[in-house]
Every structure is written in C-alpha cells, then in structure tokens.
DNA sequence: CGAGTGACCGCAA
DNA sequence: ATTGCGGCCACTC
C-alpha cells in the first residue's frame, strides 16, 4: 500500500477517534500507539482539546478507564455522554472498561 | 532551532 | 485511597 496522506499525528488520531464504534471506548495511550507513536498520550490529549470538537472524544478515556478531567462540563458531562452513547459507566470510571476497549 | 505546554502514564511514599 | 514526582512525545510560539 502506499501513502495516501501525509499522516500527521493529528490526522491519524482524529481519524482513529472518528472510527471508534458506539458502545466501545479507547484510551489516549492506545490511540497514540495506533497512530504509530506510542507514548504520545499527552499529545493526544492536546489534540482532544484543540482538535476537531465534532469527534466522539467522549469515547476516549485514560488508561485506568477513568473519565477525562478537562472535558467540557467535567467528568459529569463526560459520564453522561458516555451513558447516552450506550457505555455504562460510573461517575468516575467506565464499567468493564477493559472489555469495552476498542481494538482495530 | 530552543523552550514551554498538556483532556497522559506509571510508580513510590 | 490520595498526593507527588519524573518521563515521554508531538504541537505551538
């Protein structure tokens, strides 16, 4: 296969987030690794804040399955959105998060 | 090219 | 359980 795009880290991450199926969640570290740059979880967080707001960032949680701290509205809004998406979660972390971890 | 930043990650006290 | 510390990496100024 060939390079169809310049695959910027940002582009890759946004694309991955966009393809996360409903009912599943992913982690910043995993997305960074899937984007080809494991360890860049922090950078993914930066993209989440400054990237495309239309993407389902609500399906993206931290390595512990916990909700993000900088989510617009706070963990409450994040938890609410996740539940609305079909992802059962407590007010602080996702239930069965490791089983709901999206895998390409 | 250098320094600062962050919706993180993991560990230790 | 909570708090603190360092490390890692891409992005922005």
């Amino acid at each position: 296969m060939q390079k169809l795009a310049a695959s910027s880290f940002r582009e890759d991450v946004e694309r991955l987030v966009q393809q996360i199926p409903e009912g599943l969640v992913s982690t910043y570290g995993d997305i960074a690794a899937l984007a080809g740059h494991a360890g860049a979880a922090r950078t993914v967080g930066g993209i989440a804040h400054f990237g495309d707001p239309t993407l389902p960032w609500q399906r993206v949680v931290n390595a512990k399955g916990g909700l993000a701290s900088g989510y617009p509205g706070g963990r409450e809004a994040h938890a609410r959105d996740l539940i609305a998406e079909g992802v059962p979660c407590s007010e602080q972390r996702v239930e069965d998060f490791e089983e709901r971890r999206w895998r390409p």
Side-chain angles (χ1 to χ4, degrees), chain A residues 20-87:
Chain A
I20 297 176
E22 247 178 83
L24 292 181
V25 297
S26 190
T27 73
Y28 294 98
D30 274 12
I31 289 175
L34 291 169
H37 292 262
R42 301 189 73 169
T43 311
V44 175
I47 295 165
H49 190 100
F50 255 89
D52 189 330
T54 68
L55 297 175
W57 294 109
Q58 53 229 45
R59 291 176 192 155
V60 184
V61 297
N62 63 32
K64 299 181 189 93
L67 307 176
S69 26
Y71 194 85
R75 308 184 308 282
E76 272 183 51
H78 196 164
R80 235 184 297 121
D81 283 351
L82 266 152
I83 293 167
E85 293 288 297
V87 179

Side-chain angles (χ1 to χ4, degrees), chain A residues 2 5-6 9 16 29 33 55 62 76 93-95 98 103:
Chain A
Q2 325 53 327
F9 184 73
L16 286 162
L55 297 175
N62 63 32
E76 272 183 51
R93 68 173 243 164
V94 178
E95 293 184 19
E98 302 204 8
R103 281 280 213 161

